[in-house]
Amino acid sequence: MLVSDNLIELFHIGHQYQRPHWALSDVSLRVKKGDFVFLTGPSGSGKTTLLKIIFREIIPSEGQIVIEGVNILRIPDHGIYKLRRMMGIVFQDFRLLFHRPVFENVALPLQVLGVPPKEIRRRVFNALRMVNLQHKLGDPPAHLSYGEQQRVAIARAVVNAPKILLADEPTGNLDTELAFEIISLFREINKQGTTVLIGTHDKELIRHFGSKILFLQAGKLLGKDALPSPES
Amino acid sequence: MLVSDNLIELFHIGHQYQRPHWALSDVSLRVKKGDFVFLTGPSGSGKTTLLKIIFREIIPSEGQIVIEGVNILRIPDHGIYKLRRMMGIVFQDFRLLFHRPVFENVALPLQVLGVPPKEIRRRVFNALRMVNLQHKLGDPPAHLSYGEQQRVAIARAVVNAPKILLADEPTGNLDTELAFEIISLFREINKQGTTVLIGTHDKELIRHFGSKILFLQAGKLLGKDALPSPES
Amino acid sequence: MRNLFSVTIICLSFLILGIFWSLSNNLQQVAARLGENLVVTLFLNKDLPEKDALEIRDKAGRSPVIESLRMVTADEAKERFQASFPELRDVLANLKANPFPASIEAVLRPDRAGPDAVAAFLQSMTATAGVEDVQYNRDWIERVRSLGRLTRAIGLFLGGILVLASFFIISNVIKLNVLSRKNEIEILRLVGGTNTFIRIPFLIEGTILGILGGLVSLVFLAVLIQAFPLYLGSSLGALQELLSFRALSISQGLALVAGGAVIGWLGSLTSVSKFLKA
Amino acid sequence: MRNLFSVTIICLSFLILGIFWSLSNNLQQVAARLGENLVVTLFLNKDLPEKDALEIRDKAGRSPVIESLRMVTADEAKERFQASFPELRDVLANLKANPFPASIEAVLRPDRAGPDAVAAFLQSMTATAGVEDVQYNRDWIERVRSLGRLTRAIGLFLGGILVLASFFIISNVIKLNVLSRKNEIEILRLVGGTNTFIRIPFLIEGTILGILGGLVSLVFLAVLIQAFPLYLGSSLGALQELLSFRALSISQGLALVAGGAVIGWLGSLTSVSKFLKA
Ligand SMILES: Nc1ncnc2c1ncn2[C@@H]1O[C@H](COP(=O)(O)OP(=O)(O)OP(=O)(O)O)[C@@H](O)[C@H]1O
Ligand SMILES: Nc1ncnc2c1ncn2[C@@H]1O[C@H](COP(=O)(O)OP(=O)(O)OP(=O)(O)O)[C@@H](O)[C@H]1O
Ligand SMILES: [Mg+2]
Ligand SMILES: [Mg+2]
């Protein structure tokens, strides 16, 4: 079965925020179910843009993108929630509810699914323990340090054991030990079946954990050899 | 002359955002004119808090802090601008005018000083070239990638050749090459007389550039040996 | 803080609206009462036999514009005159005969007393034998018409301005409310909330704010209506009736509250929907 | 967008304020005019010699409450009566002698015609030989007083509510404006801007918004004042005078605009200052 093998497929994706500059151009790639992929490249090369296209925050100017056999550009606005529910996302700018307790923030993806409160509590505690934040559970992110906020965002992304985990620079505000812990956590989740795609510029992390690596340079995908070429 | 030697002096600084937790406790340190100091420590150890106290965004719960012989806790609200004008600050959350052009953002510290427009243009171009962003001059930060925004914040901090440069995690969103370039830039500015204090968790940077290192752990200062002890 | 602001604005808008509504209620009633006073007086020939007078009355009564008819005898007319002008009692006492003619007072139906119908009636009565003169206070008719126009004018101008203003203010306040929670809406969408899931709390909030605003304004309005006449004193006569507040009816009060609910609901709906795009 | 909102709100507030101000202007003028009509009529004994009548007039003229005096001869009185009641002409023609007494009409000075002074005047005139009767329409006085009270009541109740509402709305809009630029204020402080440097643009903006709102509302008000009588038609009589709009005087217009400027300035000042603390 071809569909079940390729979880995410991008076909000739190009994106222009503003003429004449192409933030991404002709990016084609496949991510298989169970992959653990690093997306790297210098500042401004298009990592965030590519991830935003995958969770359909941005509609690309060109190309098609298929996730689980569904062309996500064809999903109407009111149906996007189905796509989002199979993803956990760590945003580069966190996107937390700044003045609500950490607990509520992490519980959000479960609440929209209607998970019963007891189960929510169990899973949220679990996720917070994994990122070492169980003691900050009642504080709002506004009262946390940057690294702590980043870990809340990570906990929220993994709390629902999503099919796909997208993480944009998830360790930018963490010290090396913590960063390694977090990526190890992602690795574990990956072993339980989640496909993981991490945007990062941290070479050390990639060197240590890197299996498949996508390298972006000024909006173009290099190092395709790390992945089976979509044309092959 | 004792005063001219110690640019920044902290005496038994302690800070409590909320009872009962102390974000900082009994921190005493001296930074000499011309020093190049790294402030490090794990996530949540108090780096940002300490820097915020130095530029008086936060009034510490305990202790005194003297900069250039002036007890900055005694400065009234309407006089703080004098302190801020001798500092360049890179904030961990950038604090840019999100919808104004990069140029305006970087020009701000010069505009409040009433520098003539021609001179402003010259210095802003210069600063932007140093962080590799001269081509984004007309775009607002809202249209930039994270690393680019961070570099705008850096350009704004150095544009005025300040006496003191405080940088909180200035390379968190930058790839290693760029991070090294930026710290080299800080080094150069330091050689021209600016005292530099960088909060970071990047061990590699510290290993490479580190001269004096302050290590924070749960709000307490370790590794004081790297600096002359204030008591000595 | 901002919720307090919303309620206050909604309340003020409705209060102003309610004041005008109440005044307009009142003007309409006064206009209606004046309309009831459209009277045509048919002066009869002196010494007309009662039989003929009754015939004239019956003829007048067949006209569709007539609401009621009343015979006024010469003696009655004299008494009325004496009551109205006591200083002239001597003059009348000096007269041998009663100088006043008998008359028939015809009250017109305001709903049917259009200019053409009234003109036809007046003409036919003037032509009737036994009718000496027909008096009809056209000024009064004009005044009533104008009062009707005035009521509508106030209703349209001020009421219109205020309804628009209220809607504008309220929907903007709700928009600001939603804008301040734009972040929250975006985040909910990003973690997989359906549009309905996201909308509901905003709709509830907007509706509650609207209802609260409407209720509070009703309370203020009631206080105002009670307090106004007290302050004015009771000696204004006709003017007081014209300008005093009349309480809104229960259905008008309910309409005000329901209007608040609808505005709050609509305002929230349109405001939230803007952010449910991506 | 938000600036448009601010101007619209300021403008609407001032428009409503202006409408009431203009109406209140008008009511005050009507009240003043009614005040001028305070008339005491002194009926003289029949066949009183003219010399005595003039004496009575002079005596009345010495009272401080009198503004002017006018002699009405018996013939004049008869003519007036005939003009008012043409149907009774026959009656009068039948009379041998003129039944009407001569009289003196005394117009009172509204500013001095307090209840006590008027009562004293009436008493002294009643006691005067040659004066048969003194008539004074107390109802009218009461009505004028009440109208004065009404004017003030409308001014206080509605005007007060609206001034408060305007100020509340405007200062909140400005607060929201400033809040949306809180970030900017903080950043300016962090790069070393002095408080004055930071305040000035906000103060200028607030003041301009206020002035604009005031000006636009004046324009609308002028249009309204022009359009209102046209719409009403011209047959309202006294009622129209009572309710028509009268243009604001130049100084009142200036006051409205200046009020806008002050509100804008104050609103900005207080709102910005909140963020200049740390
Ligand atoms: N909203 C936007 N409008 C216009 N241009 C944008 C916008 N967002 C990003 N860009 C531009 O698109 C390019 C790619 O940006 P992107 O954020 O994807 O880079 P990135 O690889 O994530 O960089 P970083 O490591 O600095 O986060 C950059 O040149 C950036 O300036
Ligand atoms: N506004 C606040 N209110 C309450 N607690 C706060 C606030 N800001 C920070 N804290 C707490 O103070 C401690 C120190 O925070 P600080 O931001 O100084 O850490 P940091 O060393 O900068 O961490 P990071 O590397 O994650 O940025 C943390 O435990 C944090 O939760
Ligand atoms: Mg990025
Ligand atoms: Mg920090």
Side-chain angles (χ1 to χ4, degrees):
Chain A
M1 269 164 73
L2 209 130
V3 168
S4 73
D5 205 34
N6 290 320
L7 189 62
I8 305 172
E9 291 177 288
L10 274 66
F11 300 102
H12 306 289
I13 291 288
H15 189 64
Q16 245 182 346
Y17 285 103
Q18 285 165 322
R19 316 245 157 129
H21 181 73
W22 287 88
L24 282 181
S25 62
D26 197 27
V27 172
S28 294
L29 64 87
R30 288 180 190 174
V31 176
K32 287 207 187 112
K33 222 172 172 172
D35 270 350
F36 191 88
V37 183
F38 281 105
L39 177 64
T40 189
S43 174
S45 57
K47 303 182 290 297
T48 300
T49 307
L50 188 59
L51 290 170
K52 280 185 177 172
I53 287 172
I54 292 176
F55 65 82
R56 232 210 81 161
E57 181 169 325
I58 289 178
I59 307 264
S61 318
E62 286 183 354
Q64 298 299 329
I65 166 166
V66 175
I67 296 183
E68 274 210 324
V70 176
N71 184 331
I72 65 162
L73 301 182
R74 298 252 178 78
I75 304 176
D77 279 345
H78 59 83
I80 300 174
Y81 73 95
K82 286 178 206 144
L83 177 71
R84 302 267 168 83
R85 282 178 181 187
M86 63 190 217
M87 295 181 168
I89 315 174
V90 183
F91 303 94
Q92 201 168 4
D93 51 352
F94 312 159
R95 305 220 192 157
L96 301 171
L97 294 175
F98 223 57
H99 299 285
R100 306 280 184 81
V102 164
F103 179 91
E104 258 186 56
N105 271 281
V106 178
L108 231 43
L110 301 171
Q111 268 164 357
V112 301
L113 288 172
V115 174
K118 222 174 140 182
E119 177 70 3
I120 289 185
R121 238 172 295 139
R122 199 185 60 77
R123 290 210 226 165
V124 171
F125 287 153
N126 228 3
L128 285 175
R129 206 170 308 120
M130 290 196 276
V131 297
N132 245 330
L133 268 186
Q134 61 280 29
H135 57 293
K136 293 285 186 181
L137 173 119
D139 291 326
H143 289 178
L144 299 181
S145 84
Y146 263 70
E148 288 162 349
Q149 290 179 28
Q150 191 154 47
R151 285 180 276 160
V152 176
I154 292 167
R156 187 182 61 188
V158 303
V159 73
N160 195 28
K163 265 192 196 160
I164 301 173
L165 178 67
L166 303 177
D168 195 1
E169 215 77 83
T171 58
N173 291 283
L174 303 179
D175 47 298
T176 324
E177 289 81 38
L178 210 47
F180 272 69
E181 269 177 50
I182 294 295
I183 305 295
S184 305
L185 170 66
F186 287 175
R187 255 280 184 239
E188 236 163 77
I189 292 170
N190 173 245
K191 278 186 193 128
Q192 282 156 34
T194 296
T195 305
V196 178
L197 186 51
I198 303 171
T200 186
H201 53 64
D202 192 329
K203 296 233 169 61
E204 216 174 326
L205 278 185
I206 297 175
R207 225 175 292 138
H208 198 268
F209 290 95
S211 45
K212 300 191 175 170
I213 299 161
L214 294 169
F215 193 82
L216 275 172
Q217 175 82 52
K220 293 206 169 60
L221 204 57
L222 311 179
K224 274 183 227 174
D225 37 48
L227 279 179
S229 158
E231 277 80 27
S232 77
Chain B
M1 269 166 74
L2 211 129
V3 168
S4 71
D5 205 35
N6 290 319
L7 190 61
I8 305 172
E9 292 178 287
L10 274 66
F11 300 102
H12 307 288
I13 291 288
H15 189 64
Q16 245 182 343
Y17 285 104
Q18 285 164 321
R19 318 242 156 135
H21 181 73
W22 287 87
L24 283 180
S25 60
D26 197 26
V27 173
S28 295
L29 63 87
R30 287 179 192 176
V31 176
K32 286 207 186 112
K33 223 172 172 172
D35 269 350
F36 191 89
V37 184
F38 281 105
L39 177 64
T40 188
S43 174
S45 58
K47 302 182 291 297
T48 300
T49 306
L50 188 59
L51 290 170
K52 280 184 174 171
I53 287 172
I54 292 176
F55 65 82
R56 232 211 82 162
E57 180 169 327
I58 290 178
I59 308 262
S61 319
E62 286 184 356
Q64 298 299 329
I65 165 165
V66 177
I67 296 184
E68 274 209 322
V70 176
N71 184 332
I72 65 161
L73 301 182
R74 297 253 178 79
I75 304 176
D77 280 344
H78 59 83
I80 300 173
Y81 72 95
K82 286 178 207 148
L83 176 71
R84 302 267 167 84
R85 282 179 181 187
M86 62 190 219
M87 295 180 167
I89 315 173
V90 182
F91 301 95
Q92 200 166 4
D93 50 353
F94 312 157
R95 304 219 193 158
L96 299 171
L97 295 175
F98 223 57
H99 300 286
R100 306 282 182 81
V102 165
F103 180 91
E104 259 187 54
N105 271 281
V106 178
L108 231 44
L110 301 172
Q111 268 164 357
V112 300
L113 288 173
V115 174
K118 224 175 136 181
E119 176 70 6
I120 289 184
R121 239 173 293 138
R122 199 184 61 75
R123 290 210 225 165
V124 171
F125 287 155
N126 228 3
L128 284 175
R129 207 171 307 124
M130 289 196 279
V131 297
N132 245 328
L133 268 186
Q134 60 279 30
H135 58 292
K136 293 284 187 182
L137 172 121
D139 291 326
H143 290 177
L144 299 182
S145 84
Y146 262 70
E148 288 163 348
Q149 290 180 26
Q150 191 154 45
R151 285 180 275 158
V152 175
I154 292 168
R156 186 181 63 188
V158 302
V159 73
N160 195 27
K163 264 191 196 160
I164 300 173
L165 178 67
L166 302 177
D168 196 1
E169 215 78 84
T171 59
N173 291 282
L174 303 179
D175 47 297
T176 323
E177 289 81 38
L178 210 48
F180 272 69
E181 269 176 50
I182 293 296
I183 303 295
S184 304
L185 171 66
F186 286 176
R187 255 284 186 231
E188 237 163 76
I189 292 171
N190 173 244
K191 276 183 193 131
Q192 281 156 34
T194 297
T195 305
V196 178
L197 186 51
I198 303 171
T200 186
H201 53 64
D202 191 328
K203 295 234 170 58
E204 217 173 325
L205 278 185
I206 297 177
R207 226 176 291 136
H208 198 269
F209 290 94
S211 47
K212 300 191 174 171
I213 300 160
L214 295 168
F215 193 83
L216 275 172
Q217 174 81 52
K220 291 207 171 59
L221 202 58
L222 312 178
K224 273 184 228 174
D225 38 49
L227 279 180
S229 157
E231 279 78 28
S232 78
Chain C
M1 201 289 287
R2 193 171 280 146
N3 280 350
L4 185 69
F5 182 46
S6 314
V7 172
T8 316
I9 296 268
I10 295 176
C11 164
L12 279 172
S13 305
F14 280 4
L15 186 55
I16 293 166
L17 214 75
I19 288 172
F20 278 90
W21 204 349
S22 148
L23 276 178
S24 152
N25 269 0
N26 195 55
L27 279 174
Q28 240 140 9
Q29 285 191 14
V30 171
R33 213 166 330 115
L34 287 181
E36 284 164 14
N37 286 340
L38 290 176
V39 174
V40 172
T41 310
L42 310 171
F43 289 101
L44 304 178
N45 283 348
K46 216 162 276 184
D47 307 322
L48 192 76
E50 193 176 333
K51 193 181 72 81
D52 293 359
L54 288 174
E55 239 170 54
I56 293 172
R57 190 188 67 177
D58 292 344
K59 184 185 173 195
R62 281 193 291 276
S63 165
V65 299
I66 296 303
E67 172 140 322
S68 67
L69 290 161
R70 191 167 167 289
M71 305 286 301
V72 180
T73 65
D75 289 344
E76 245 179 286
K78 188 178 169 187
E79 274 163 33
R80 276 201 204 167
F81 184 82
Q82 282 177 332
S84 304
F85 302 94
E87 353 38 296
L88 293 180
R89 210 166 298 158
D90 296 345
V91 183
L92 281 179
N94 285 342
L95 296 176
K96 288 155 220 158
N98 179 354
F100 295 98
S103 61
I104 299 175
E105 284 178 8
V107 177
L108 304 188
R109 295 184 57 155
D111 52 335
R112 293 198 185 156
D116 293 347
V118 171
F121 172 69
L122 293 180
Q123 210 171 358
S124 95
M125 292 322 291
T126 312
T128 306
V131 174
E132 169 109 16
D133 196 10
V134 175
Q135 272 207 359
Y136 176 46
N137 196 338
R138 280 176 185 282
D139 281 5
W140 266 115
I141 292 216
E142 281 308 316
R143 237 166 259 178
V144 171
R145 293 248 170 78
S146 296
L147 201 68
R149 273 211 289 267
L150 177 72
T151 312
R152 251 178 299 134
I154 290 183
L156 283 177
F157 269 115
L158 299 184
I161 287 173
L162 284 160
V163 169
L164 276 182
S166 307
F167 195 88
F168 183 76
I169 293 171
I170 292 167
S171 75
N172 264 288
V173 166
I174 291 172
K175 214 171 283 170
L176 289 177
N177 256 351
V178 171
L179 201 70
S180 76
R181 290 166 68 183
K182 180 183 171 232
N183 199 24
E184 191 177 331
I185 297 175
E186 275 177 15
I187 290 170
L188 278 172
R189 272 184 72 78
L190 287 171
V191 299
T194 62
N195 287 356
T196 315
F197 181 91
I198 295 169
R199 264 193 211 113
I200 285 173
F202 285 97
L203 293 184
I204 292 175
E205 187 191 308
T207 311
I208 288 177
L209 286 183
I211 290 176
L212 266 184
L215 282 179
V216 175
S217 76
L218 273 188
V219 170
F220 275 111
L221 203 58
V223 170
L224 212 61
I225 288 169
Q226 292 304 313
F228 200 64
L230 282 184
Y231 180 79
L232 272 185
S234 50
S235 48
L236 253 185
L239 264 179
Q240 186 176 32
E241 295 231 13
L242 210 62
L243 285 155
S244 75
F245 290 106
R246 210 158 291 262
L248 296 182
S249 70
I250 289 179
S251 62
Q252 282 174 325
L254 282 180
L256 216 64
V257 174
V262 169
I263 286 177
W265 190 79
L266 270 183
S268 301
L269 188 67
T270 54
S271 308
V272 176
S273 295
K274 262 191 204 157
F275 297 109
L276 296 179
K277 290 285 161 59
Chain D
M1 198 292 285
R2 193 171 280 147
N3 280 350
L4 183 70
F5 182 48
S6 314
V7 172
T8 315
I9 297 266
I10 293 177
C11 163
L12 279 171
S13 305
F14 279 5
L15 186 56
I16 293 167
L17 214 75
I19 288 172
F20 277 92
W21 204 350
S22 147
L23 275 178
S24 153
N25 269 0
N26 194 55
L27 279 174
Q28 239 139 12
Q29 285 191 13
V30 172
R33 212 167 329 113
L34 286 180
E36 282 164 16
N37 286 339
L38 291 177
V39 173
V40 172
T41 309
L42 309 171
F43 291 101
L44 303 178
N45 283 347
K46 214 164 277 186
D47 307 321
L48 191 75
E50 194 177 333
K51 194 180 71 71
D52 293 359
L54 288 175
E55 238 171 54
I56 293 172
R57 191 189 65 178
D58 291 345
K59 185 185 172 194
R62 281 193 290 276
S63 164
V65 298
I66 296 304
E67 172 141 319
S68 67
L69 289 161
R70 191 168 168 287
M71 304 285 302
V72 180
T73 65
D75 289 343
E76 244 179 286
K78 189 177 168 189
E79 273 162 35
R80 274 200 206 168
F81 184 81
Q82 281 176 332
S84 306
F85 302 95
E87 8 15 306
L88 293 182
R89 210 167 296 157
D90 296 345
V91 184
L92 281 179
N94 285 342
L95 295 177
K96 286 153 221 158
N98 179 351
F100 295 99
S103 62
I104 299 173
E105 284 176 8
V107 178
L108 303 189
R109 298 183 57 154
D111 52 335
R112 294 199 185 156
D116 292 347
V118 172
F121 172 69
L122 293 179
Q123 208 171 359
S124 96
M125 291 324 290
T126 313
T128 304
V131 175
E132 169 109 17
D133 196 9
V134 175
Q135 270 204 2
Y136 175 47
N137 196 337
R138 279 175 186 286
D139 281 5
W140 267 114
I141 292 217
E142 281 307 317
R143 240 167 254 180
V144 172
R145 292 248 171 77
S146 295
L147 201 67
R149 272 211 288 267
L150 177 71
T151 313
R152 252 178 298 134
I154 289 183
L156 283 177
F157 269 114
L158 298 184
I161 288 173
L162 283 160
V163 169
L164 277 181
S166 306
F167 194 88
F168 183 76
I169 293 171
I170 292 167
S171 75
N172 265 288
V173 167
I174 291 173
K175 214 171 284 172
L176 290 177
N177 256 350
V178 171
L179 202 69
S180 76
R181 291 168 66 185
K182 180 182 171 233
N183 200 23
E184 190 178 332
I185 297 175
E186 275 178 14
I187 291 170
L188 278 172
R189 272 184 72 79
L190 286 171
V191 299
T194 61
N195 286 356
T196 316
F197 181 92
I198 296 169
R199 265 193 209 113
I200 284 173
F202 285 97
L203 292 185
I204 291 176
E205 187 191 309
T207 310
I208 288 177
L209 287 183
I211 289 176
L212 266 184
L215 282 179
V216 176
S217 76
L218 273 187
V219 170
F220 274 111
L221 203 58
V223 170
L224 212 62
I225 288 170
Q226 292 304 314
F228 199 65
L230 282 184
Y231 180 81
L232 272 185
S234 51
S235 50
L236 254 185
L239 265 178
Q240 187 178 30
E241 297 230 14
L242 210 62
L243 286 155
S244 74
F245 290 107
R246 210 158 292 261
L248 296 184
S249 70
I250 290 180
S251 63
Q252 283 175 325
L254 282 181
L256 216 64
V257 175
V262 169
I263 287 177
W265 191 79
L266 270 184
S268 302
L269 187 67
T270 54
S271 307
V272 176
S273 295
K274 262 191 203 158
F275 297 111
L276 296 179
K277 290 288 164 56

